[in-house]
Amino acid sequence: MATATSSTRVNGQRLWDSIMAMAEIGPGQHGGSCRLALTDDDRQGRDLFIQWCKEAGCSVVIDDLGNIFATRAGQDPTRPPIAAGSHLDTQPHGGKFDGIYGVLAALEVVRTLNDHQIKTTAPIEIVMWTNEEGARFAPAMLASGVFAGLFEKEFAYSRRDSEGKILFDELKRIGYLGEQPCGDHPLGALFEAHIEQGPILEETHHQIGVVVGGQGQRWFDVSVKGQDSHAGSTPMPGRRDALVAAAEFIQSVQQIAHQFAPHGVGTVGELTVLPNSRNTIPGEVTFTIDIRNPDDAALLEMATALYDRGSAISERHQVDLALDEIWHNPPVEFDPKCISAVRNAAGQLNYRHQDIISGAGHDACQVCRIVPTAMIFVPCEDGLSHNEQESAEPDDLEAGCNVLLHAMLAMTE
Ligand SMILES: [Zn+2]
């Protein structure tokens, strides 16, 4: 048995081939993937992943939310494993890389250690989290959330898909209801390699993003109540048009996000108009707001600004405007030691790298609340993700995997 040296490198071609082989299961219509959580395709993807892990000499444990842990033994079995992973489920029109890359990069680390007969002190572990996307069963990052104690297990089990099928039944049906209680699994550290899903690394010509944390989010349901009335016979002065008031408020969401540039973002993605009739002034509008900021105090300021604008608009348009905050997910800061391991690995490997904050949610953003965690980003073409055209360069994927290898090795010492 050997020890790793700074010249040890992963096999980029093998990593690429594995990603392409996984993409053959549950292919999308336009070159991407459609492997929704706990479907037959998900089962097939899991089966293939476990087969690969066993061929790489790993022992496999499945917990009672279907999370998979594949362990390569270390010299000191009393040490908790140094883990890396992500998710294999995809969006309905998903890409081949989102999540899959992180799982298979961790597998490639294990295969590389095997190639070079490298012994580590702590065990090395590959993790696959169930239902990260939330596309079939809302909310997203569900099983990693249970693992981190953020959701109750019974809540997760009871989630239903659009056909009314229950998560627990589907987990059992595909044969992935394991025995280990979810969360009852010590981890010494967790890394997640992922495509950036944004344009920053591409724009700045960096190959590696050292992810230092994730944004906080606040979600609101907004209801605007005015009065339905005739579009022809109601004079303009005195109308109580809920849609006009909502339109002004939606603009405010964008203005507030711009005020908190570059990190603040704000989105209205859902809107319902009643009665939704061409010749009736809309009396009621409901919509959603999603605001995000990596700084919790700034996020609260954004929320406060929303409330202020809301009351001004409500007065001006003579409508009732109710802003109901339904979710606050505070920002996360990753572990300094894990972040350093990633940054040092990127530096030693001579990859152009920068610190970055994750705009999207990830399993790592849940588990980091109980386990020392960091993430590694690699660029994806035009920052496009949750899209079948999602694309990443083999070179970048290989670089991210090399960083993962050396960051994990640094943590096993
Ligand atoms: Zn993902």
Side-chain angles (χ1 to χ4, degrees):
M1 281 289 175
T3 49
T5 68
S6 55
S7 63
T8 309
R9 295 289 182 276
V10 302
N11 182 334
Q13 184 64 49
R14 181 171 56 193
L15 169 63
W16 179 262
D17 291 344
S18 301
I19 294 171
M20 292 306 123
M22 186 59 74
E24 285 173 23
I25 300 171
Q29 305 267 314
H30 305 285
S33 289
C34 177
R35 209 169 40 249
L36 296 180
L38 310 184
T39 55
D40 290 341
D41 287 332
D42 185 19
R43 165 171 48 196
Q44 238 187 300
R46 288 162 174 262
D47 289 351
L48 177 62
F49 166 62
I50 288 179
Q51 179 200 320
W52 283 339
C53 290
K54 287 187 172 163
E55 285 166 4
C58 293
S59 53
V60 175
V61 166
I62 301 165
D63 75 15
D64 58 8
L65 267 169
N67 298 318
I68 302 171
F69 303 89
T71 314
R72 181 181 190 267
Q75 286 169 311
D76 182 356
T78 66
R79 287 269 305 271
I82 303 303
S86 191
H87 57 95
L88 290 177
D89 68 323
T90 75
Q91 289 285 325
H93 296 164
K96 296 195 277 285
F97 303 94
D98 173 3
I100 294 86
Y101 169 56
V103 177
L104 299 181
L107 173 65
E108 178 53 36
V109 166
V110 166
R111 286 169 164 173
T112 300
L113 297 176
N114 290 346
D115 290 346
H116 299 276
Q117 298 186 301
I118 294 166
K119 273 257 176 201
T120 58
T121 312
I124 293 280
E125 200 160 84
I126 312 162
V127 189
M128 192 233 69
W129 303 105
T130 296
N131 192 57
E132 191 276 344
E133 293 291 359
R136 182 174 178 205
F137 298 101
M141 302 171 282
L142 185 63
S144 55
V146 174
F147 187 89
L150 300 169
F151 300 126
E152 295 292 335
K153 190 184 293 177
E154 291 312 317
F155 168 78
Y157 279 160
S158 67
R159 299 298 86 205
R160 284 169 190 268
D161 70 5
S162 59
E163 293 171 11
K165 289 184 180 155
I166 296 166
L167 184 140
F168 178 82
D169 297 342
E170 288 294 279
L171 189 57
K172 212 168 155 187
R173 184 186 68 80
I174 68 160
Y176 276 89
L177 178 65
E179 281 178 7
Q180 184 172 79
C182 182
D184 196 2
H185 189 101
L187 295 175
L190 177 73
F191 293 95
E192 182 168 354
H194 208 283
I195 55 167
E196 184 201 333
Q197 304 180 287
I200 296 169
L201 294 176
E202 200 176 52
E203 279 169 8
T204 57
H205 302 287
H206 286 105
Q207 206 164 19
I208 299 293
V210 179
V211 189
V212 296
Q215 303 197 94
Q217 306 174 48
R218 287 176 186 265
W219 282 6
F220 300 86
D221 284 343
V222 188
S223 131
V224 184
K225 289 198 177 103
Q227 189 174 44
D228 295 359
S229 65
H230 197 287
S233 53
T234 314
M236 292 309 286
R239 288 186 177 206
R240 298 175 61 214
D241 188 325
L243 184 56
V244 170
E248 200 175 317
F249 198 40
I250 291 165
Q251 280 205 315
S252 299
V253 173
Q254 207 187 12
Q255 285 159 2
I256 290 165
H258 279 297
Q259 278 164 20
F260 286 80
H263 289 307
V265 289
T267 306
V268 174
E270 253 184 81
L271 180 118
T272 315
V273 180
L274 288 175
N276 212 25
S277 162
R278 181 189 298 263
N279 53 358
T280 299
I281 296 165
E284 187 173 352
V285 173
T286 55
F287 57 99
T288 60
I289 300 175
D290 171 324
I291 54 171
R292 306 189 192 200
N293 198 303
D295 175 348
D296 212 24
L299 183 63
L300 181 62
E301 281 182 54
M302 290 174 76
T304 308
L306 282 179
Y307 283 106
D308 290 349
R309 297 285 189 98
S311 41
I313 289 166
S314 136
E315 232 183 273
R316 192 159 50 248
H317 293 276
Q318 293 300 301
V319 294
D320 296 322
L321 193 152
L323 197 55
D324 180 19
E325 180 173 314
I326 57 158
W327 189 44
H328 174 213
N329 187 32
V332 295
E333 285 173 30
F334 288 143
D335 175 68
K337 202 173 162 205
C338 292
I339 296 170
S340 295
V342 171
R343 195 185 289 122
N344 293 342
Q348 280 157 12
L349 292 159
N350 277 319
Y351 295 134
R352 288 177 52 83
H353 61 279
Q354 68 164 100
D355 286 6
I356 193 167
I357 286 162
S358 177
H362 296 285
D363 293 311
C365 301
Q366 309 277 63
V367 180
C368 73
R369 298 173 204 271
I370 57 161
V371 174
T373 297
M375 290 188 74
I376 301 160
F377 276 176
V378 297
C380 58
E381 195 181 324
D382 298 330
L384 190 66
S385 184
H386 286 194
N387 187 307
E388 292 204 45
Q389 301 311 311
E390 180 185 278
S391 172
E393 289 299 317
D395 261 11
D396 295 336
L397 298 170
E398 181 177 343
C401 192
N402 275 320
V403 171
L404 178 66
L405 167 70
H406 286 282
M408 291 181 83
L409 285 172
M411 294 297 287
T412 61
E413 281 162 12

